[in-house]
Amino acid sequence: MAEKTVEGTQEPERRASVTAAADGLANEEDAAKLAQLGYKQELRRNFTMIEVFGIAFSIMGLLPSIASTLSYSLPAGPAGLVWGWFVASAFIFVVGLAMADLGSAMPTSGGLYWWTHFFASPKTRNPLSFLVGYSNTLGLVGGLCSIDYGFALMFCSVIVIARDGEWVASNGIVYAVFMCTVLLHGVLASVLANVMGKLQTVFVVANFLLIAITIIALPIGRSHERNDGKYIFGTTGNLTTWPVGWAWFLSWLSPIWTIGAFDSCVHMSEEAANATKAVPFGILMSIGSCWFFGFIICIVIAACVNPDIESVLSSPFGQPMAQIYYDAVGKHGAMALMSLLFIVQFLMGLSILVAASRQTWAFSRDGALPFSKFFRPISKSLGFIPFRTIWGCVFLALILGLLCLIAPAAAAALFSLAVAGNNVAWGTPIFCRLVWGGDKFKPGPFYTGKLSKPIGWVAIVFLVFGILLSMMPVGGPNPTPQDMNYTVVINSAVWGGSLIYYFIDARKWFTGPKITLNAEDLTETQEAAIRAEGIQIEGHPPADKSDSDAEAANEPEKVV
């Protein structure tokens, strides 16, 4: 972003009125940090550090997510399930470290595309920022789709268990449940704004309660049929037509999708108190918790699963986890545990809708989305939330969810859609910082120091590999239309379409993140902060014209 400065003195009365208007939204330190990035405080900072962790962890929904993605991990055998989780989670933690560096230094709701624009070269910053914003938006809405689609399958599986496998949910029924779920999430995200931060703590407790019940109930239920350590840690399998090694890599899709919500901490940064510390804490704690507890869950599942894994994957209940529960605790126990499972999955969907709406709002604030002027306003009456972008995300999810009606393979694309979209959005700002922006990076309270560059490069390699994985047909090469992975079609259309849209039209008006500050809206603390940052508010001459001219030679003019 081009450097900017502010000149001029505020009238005391004007400052007082602005401070009164913003009372209750944020403290001076958080508002000043946001001002350094060019934005005024518009959302209320009602998320504590623990609650920022909570929204990421609740979106990850550890056990429901593992249950939803067993079709990716179990084909590689119990060792694939266990070690695939452990190794992939380690790489995801590296990505989290790279993201935490950026989130601590520059916490803003539109962080990924904002960072891309800040660090990229002058020629690439606008198209790359545009691409990242669209890819991140699609990735988050795709995450909402996949979570709520998983909920619909789990909900229907309880009915199947209750009817002893004599009922099958059609694609239309699954979509109807999905549609009702997404609409209900939209209503709850709109009316629960004032307590959404507190609810994340409830959601985290619900997640851990489900984990505790499962890791106790399964071993007890299978006490006479548990698998031994050699089977759990040393027995590989391959129920695909890919080579054994590639089948193991495909098992990584389970942790990649499950632990793919840590960027929600970034999107909630303008609602987080002490954001420079809360954002990296939320990122690393959520990934680390999933890495550790997910490893334990995978071991318990491998210990208690029927060794005939193929029969588990083709369960008449429609969900492998439902069959695992049924084998361990019987019909009524399976119904109870699956009910708990889909309740936690429901909470996941609500949390990710909140995060997706904040990214979408930030992107519309910078004028990059169609109908940005419509989506831009904040609803003060509902608790300073982006009400319109909440419902924009809901209706986009309903459209993407129509894939449920095509075929199981098309519906499965909802899972890998989120992986590919988010990996591009995460990797691009890290790459731009390493290649073009090293001298512009000013560390925040959290910083990995000299290790930040090797960490960044490892993260990029892993993210590129994750994109390739997400686009591979799970069953094997030479897929039929029914087995095709449609992620490559959908994501390529979004990436290609956004770039075509940019070069045909958006390049004429999109200049990257916009400055939303006005000189009259600044307190003394905020003015001091943006003076130090070098931000210039339109209509005010720079404090040092020679410095400004030198900078202007290197970076384009910022349009406000």
Side-chain angles (χ1 to χ4, degrees), residues 151-162 167 169 317-319 322 335 338 342:
F151 168 86
L153 293 177
M154 291 178 186
F155 182 86
C156 292
S157 73
V158 174
I159 301 175
V160 177
I161 295 172
W167 178 79
F317 303 138
Q319 282 279 290
M335 289 176 61
M338 285 301 296
F342 74 62

Side-chain angles (χ1 to χ4, degrees), residues 172-186:
I173 291 175
V174 172
Y175 180 77
V177 176
F178 167 85
M179 179 178 66
C180 293
T181 306
V182 175
L183 290 173
L184 183 55
H185 281 149

